[in-house]
Amino acid sequence: MFDKEVYVRRRRTLLEKMSFIPEGKRGIAIFTGNAEAPQNYRGNDYRFRQDSTFLYFWGIDEPCFAAILDLDSGDECIYGDDVDIDDIIWMGPQPSVASKAERIGVSCSAQYADFDKAVLAARAQGRTIHFLPASRYYNTLKLASLLGIPAESVRKVLPVAGGHGCCGKAATASEELVKAVVSMRLVKEDCEIEEIDKACEIGYLMHTEARKGCRPGTKEQDIVGRMEGVTISKGWGVSFTTILSQNGETLHNHSHHQIITPGRLLLIDAGAESNTHYASDFTRTYPCSGKFTQKQKDIYDIVESANGLAFKLARPGVTYRQIHLAVARHILEGLSGLRLVRGDTDEMVAAGVAGLFMPHGLGHNMGLDVHDMEDLGEDYVGYDEDQKRSGQLGLGSLRMARRLQPGHVVTDEPGIYFIPALIQKWKMEGTGGDFVNYSALEQYHDFGGIRLEDDLLITADGARRLGTRRLPVTSSEIEEIMAREQETL
Ligand code: GLY
Ligand code: MN
């Protein structure tokens, strides 16, 4: 948890950002923290994870809290229940809700059920109620019932300041509030960057452990277990479900049943969440035998230089979409050198040929969520008024297209994949025209995929790779360190 002043300042900034709405018409902003989520029966819950926006403004990392910020008066109140003797028996003594509120600079506190009463009273007065799209089903249903709207409207975002706010027909999550929150959380404060650096250091240690475990005969699942143990012992846990597979061409591959086999590639995309819930997200791809074949190295070096190119281009004023396109161009030039594609590079970029090999975007925002704030709407987070989402494969999946600003934290994660079903589909449909050398691609059907990912902070005049040390990344660094680690183990 940060100092009290951090939370006070954030809520004051939010009030200022919402003050474009005429006074008296602003209404209230309501924030629902998460409740416990049972794995199977009540009492056997998943490990509690607070809603990230609730953490950002209200800091309290416990279930069943809510808060109201009155956008007209500036009044604020925290809602939660003090423990009773039953709770003390099972959970031990807990600080009072009032003291938790005081810790974040809020002088008003009340019982959790009073939140519902306050919202219903505001509804009865016809006040506008701004809320964010809920990320969890519990809060979706709670808000739907409190506001008298269908559950699906709780996750829809539309402007409400025009007056159709809470109490009627068209109520949805508030676009004004979403935009204000996104504009704040997108630009990381120094205290947040410190936490992301910590998460990156844990991520570094996780990946180091995993790389050491990458040796023929080992089960992928063993590597996952040892790697996740690192972040469980040093941080909160993983920042997303680990991706670790020799079938790296499946972008989000969560099955870990295979045995490490010489000659294959192992793709590891994994990150840590710090104890304050900030994320890291790194990807490395290793030769299972410790040495790349020439064919693997040719592709690896293209991805590695694409990752370096994105880092070099990342600076304030440039859009991440431009950098994605520069990376797409670089990948196509590299593949052209290997005669897997042919023709004018600009025409290939325009035709979206890179999507056959990199069907995802170059990166996403990262912070309290590994895909930061995507519960608030991917386009609100990653796209600005001057950006439109493309319909092309690859570019269309770009989660962050915005013009970069100092304080943005983005991932730099280019990849090249050979996805047999996708190649077959494009070939059958004639997508990519003559640009794609389908007969040469037949030699790559069992290649797999390569992705390399670092986390970048945009600075005043460029970018910094987050974390105090960078995981080995060039093909020669990888081969050297794997050879050294094989000797010492
Ligand atoms: N690291 C997983 C992802 O970015 O989707
Ligand atoms: Mn990522």
Side-chain angles (χ1 to χ4, degrees), residues 107-397:
S107 54
C108 161
S109 65
Q111 291 179 353
Y112 191 52
D114 289 340
F115 171 77
D116 296 14
K117 290 182 196 152
V119 174
L120 292 173
R123 264 187 78 180
Q125 291 162 13
R127 299 192 73 194
T128 300
I129 299 177
H130 297 266
F131 65 93
L132 297 169
S135 57
R136 294 259 184 104
Y137 293 114
Y138 175 89
N139 281 332
T140 304
L141 297 177
K142 181 179 175 69
L143 288 171
S145 121
L146 263 180
L147 300 171
I149 59 175
E152 56 271 26
S153 301
V154 175
R155 292 183 178 193
K156 215 179 273 163
V157 182
L158 285 171
V160 295
H164 63 267
C166 70
C167 327
K169 336 121 235 178
T172 61
S174 158
E175 187 175 68
E176 293 88 344
L177 187 59
V178 165
K179 286 184 170 174
V181 170
V182 166
S183 70
M184 291 178 67
R185 283 181 57 190
L186 264 184
V187 179
K188 270 60 182 180
E189 300 161 0
D190 289 349
C191 60
E192 297 184 282
I193 292 162
E194 238 176 77
E195 290 301 313
I196 298 173
D197 270 328
K198 282 186 207 162
C200 287
E201 173 61 13
I202 304 172
Y204 175 94
L205 297 172
M206 287 170 72
H207 276 262
T208 301
E209 184 69 23
R211 188 187 58 237
K212 287 180 180 167
C214 174
R215 37 189 63 224
T218 310
K219 198 170 181 188
E220 291 170 351
Q221 189 177 346
D222 287 345
I223 307 175
V224 174
R226 266 182 276 159
M227 178 177 71
E228 293 191 354
V230 174
T231 180
I232 291 168
S233 67
K234 295 189 185 304
W236 186 81
V238 292
S239 52
F240 58 97
T241 307
T242 293
I243 299 160
L244 185 150
S245 176
Q246 292 165 100
N247 285 106
E249 78 280 8
T250 303
L251 300 184
H252 278 183
N253 198 333
H254 300 304
S255 78
H256 314 298
H257 62 278
Q258 300 187 83
I259 304 293
I260 300 298
T261 306
R264 299 191 73 186
L265 293 165
L266 178 67
L267 186 151
I268 305 176
D269 183 348
E273 185 163 312
S274 71
N275 283 322
T276 52
H277 303 294
Y278 283 85
S280 63
D281 183 5
F282 295 127
T283 309
R284 289 293 183 268
T285 307
Y286 299 109
C288 294
S289 18
K291 248 185 132 28
F292 292 102
T293 63
Q294 188 57 48
K295 189 173 168 186
Q296 289 169 340
K297 188 171 176 314
D298 288 343
I299 301 294
Y300 188 97
D301 289 345
I302 299 170
V303 179
E304 192 268 318
S305 51
N307 168 287
L309 174 69
F311 174 63
K312 207 177 84 197
L313 295 176
R315 61 174 183 278
V318 179
T319 67
Y320 217 49
R321 178 196 172 92
Q322 287 171 311
I323 301 180
H324 173 104
L325 288 169
V327 161
R329 178 175 225 291
H330 180 86
I331 285 174
L332 289 169
E333 277 169 354
L335 295 176
S336 200
L338 297 174
R339 310 210 185 297
L340 296 179
V341 294
R342 59 202 160 201
D344 180 80
T345 314
D346 288 330
E347 286 178 22
M348 283 196 279
V349 172
V353 175
L356 177 59
F357 304 97
M358 188 172 102
H360 62 73
L362 176 64
H364 49 86
N365 291 287
M366 194 187 78
L368 276 166
D369 309 307
V370 68
H371 287 186
D372 215 19
M373 295 176 276
E374 282 184 8
D375 55 332
L376 303 185
E378 215 178 289
D379 283 2
Y380 286 110
V381 181
Y383 286 75
D384 214 342
E385 264 77 43
D386 65 346
Q387 298 292 331
K388 265 220 150 45
R389 195 180 274 269
S390 157
Q392 277 179 352
L393 186 66
L395 182 57
S397 298

